[in-house]
Amino acid sequence: MKNLAAFDIGGTTLKMGLVSSEGTIIQHEKMTIPDFDGELILAGISDYTKKHDVAGIAISAPGYINPKTGFITMGGAIRAFDNFPLREYLEEKTGLPVTVENDANCVALCEKWVGGAQDLDNFLCMTVGTGIGGGIFIDGKLYSGSKFRAGEFGYLFSDRPGSFEPGSYTMNQTTTMLVLRRQYAAHTGKALQEVTGEEIFAAYDNNHDPIAEKLIHDFYTGLCSGLYNLIYCFDPSHIFIGGGITDRPTFLDELKHHMAFFGLRDTELELVSHKNQAGLLGAAYHHLLLTKI
């Protein structure tokens, strides 16, 4: 059986790979996407597909996506994909069957297919990065919602809304790595592009930077507040956490330490199994489920 060409579209990077029907990544590479360039993404997908003999194209993408039609209502970081029929466009371009699914949903699908959720029916995934996304499995099935917006955990309130725009009080605006960098830059007088998450956590680890200590404490409190709400809404057996922050060796222990204050110990917190490759694998699994290859 031929492999699938799988793609994971990010705000700055397009990941590409060949994935077998058993869930093995045969080959993978990536290309930089400057300025959230939708045309460059489409060209990259087309060029990569031409170089390989594949059975179909599987895509993980940001935004609100109809997983059956591949129509993107809102493209997330790639606003050029707003109201864009990505599946139809690529099928006409390549002559191959194409499937498209939300990126955080693909992380959850990967976990169900070849990760730690293979034997689980009720679990969540939360991805923490520039924004916060999520995937929801209920009774063994991925839940997308009526308008394909289920799992947008970043829009959970992290604080009681005040007199500003309500969206200013959501996790996306208070509890992401980008927000952490902005806050640290503002307090230290540095330019945002000069500040990295690694730098902030290094300052925190050295125990001599009160700014980093305060901001990271608030960061973990924000994550735990969101997890607290999700646990009571969905009663999952497990929540899997993904995103670049999980590369920090002590992240999970620190998250559990802060979560202990909230008193919820029945839900297991774990890291996603395949990290940066989860999008490719989840996209491929979605393709196999939808096309029944």
Side-chain angles (χ1 to χ4, degrees):
M1 184 179 295
K2 292 181 181 179
N3 300 316
L4 293 171
F7 301 90
D8 186 6
I9 300 173
T12 59
T13 304
L14 174 64
K15 297 171 188 166
M16 305 169 277
L18 299 178
V19 181
S20 74
S21 59
E22 290 77 33
T24 300
I25 296 180
I26 309 299
Q27 183 270 351
H28 65 92
E29 56 191 81
K30 61 183 179 180
M31 64 180 286
T32 301
I33 306 296
D35 302 319
F36 311 102
D37 191 329
E39 291 293 332
L40 187 58
I41 291 170
L42 294 174
I45 292 172
S46 180
D47 291 344
Y48 183 84
T49 303
K50 289 177 183 177
K51 293 189 296 184
H52 302 281
D53 183 19
V54 296
I57 298 172
I59 297 176
S60 162
Y64 305 154
I65 301 168
N66 184 323
K68 294 182 179 179
T69 67
F71 186 88
I72 302 177
T73 305
M74 190 279 287
I78 315 299
R79 302 319 297 261
F81 287 169
D82 286 0
N83 296 308
F84 183 62
L86 182 56
R87 175 179 180 174
E88 179 181 330
Y89 174 90
L90 288 173
E91 286 186 339
E92 290 180 0
K93 186 83 171 176
T94 66
L96 292 168
V98 177
T99 55
V100 189
E101 176 59 286
N102 169 268
D103 49 8
N105 284 345
C106 284
V107 173
L109 285 165
C110 170
E111 211 60 42
K112 181 64 176 175
W113 189 26
V114 290
Q118 294 179 57
D119 298 323
L120 303 178
D121 288 330
N122 298 284
F123 69 92
L124 307 176
C125 285
M126 175 186 281
T127 57
V128 183
T130 304
I132 293 180
I136 304 166
F137 260 81
I138 298 175
D139 294 335
K141 295 181 180 180
L142 182 68
Y143 180 72
S144 298
S146 61
K147 297 180 178 65
F148 316 110
R149 295 184 295 200
E152 294 289 344
F153 299 154
Y155 291 100
L156 289 170
F157 284 124
S158 58
D159 198 2
R160 178 184 296 177
S163 56
F164 295 106
E165 179 69 25
S168 302
Y169 302 89
T170 64
M171 292 183 72
N172 277 338
Q173 298 299 320
T174 64
T175 314
T176 70
M177 291 305 298
L178 177 59
V179 170
L180 183 61
R181 290 173 53 225
R182 283 176 177 163
Q183 292 171 334
Y184 193 77
H187 280 285
T188 59
K190 294 183 177 182
L192 176 62
Q193 59 267 27
E194 296 175 349
V195 177
T196 65
E198 289 83 359
E199 173 191 351
I200 302 170
F201 276 95
Y204 171 79
D205 290 336
N206 289 333
N207 297 316
H208 63 72
D209 188 329
I211 296 172
E213 183 176 347
K214 168 61 175 171
L215 294 180
I216 288 176
H217 174 82
D218 289 349
F219 172 76
Y220 277 120
T221 299
L223 284 182
C224 291
S225 298
L227 292 170
Y228 180 93
N229 290 332
L230 291 172
I231 289 170
Y232 271 108
C233 284
F234 294 101
D235 190 26
S237 62
H238 294 66
I239 300 179
F240 297 89
I241 314 292
I245 182 62
T246 62
D247 288 337
R248 177 173 170 80
T250 55
F251 167 75
L252 188 59
D253 287 338
E254 290 167 353
L255 180 64
K256 290 180 177 179
H257 173 76
H258 283 80
M259 197 67 193
F261 172 78
F262 290 79
L264 300 178
R265 302 178 185 275
D266 293 339
T267 298
E268 294 289 334
L269 301 179
E270 298 184 16
L271 302 183
V272 298
S273 305
H274 294 273
K275 295 193 174 182
N276 288 333
Q277 296 181 332
L280 297 176
L281 290 165
Y285 187 44
H286 172 247
H287 188 97
L288 294 171
L289 291 173
L290 205 61
T291 61
K292 294 182 169 50
I293 292 178

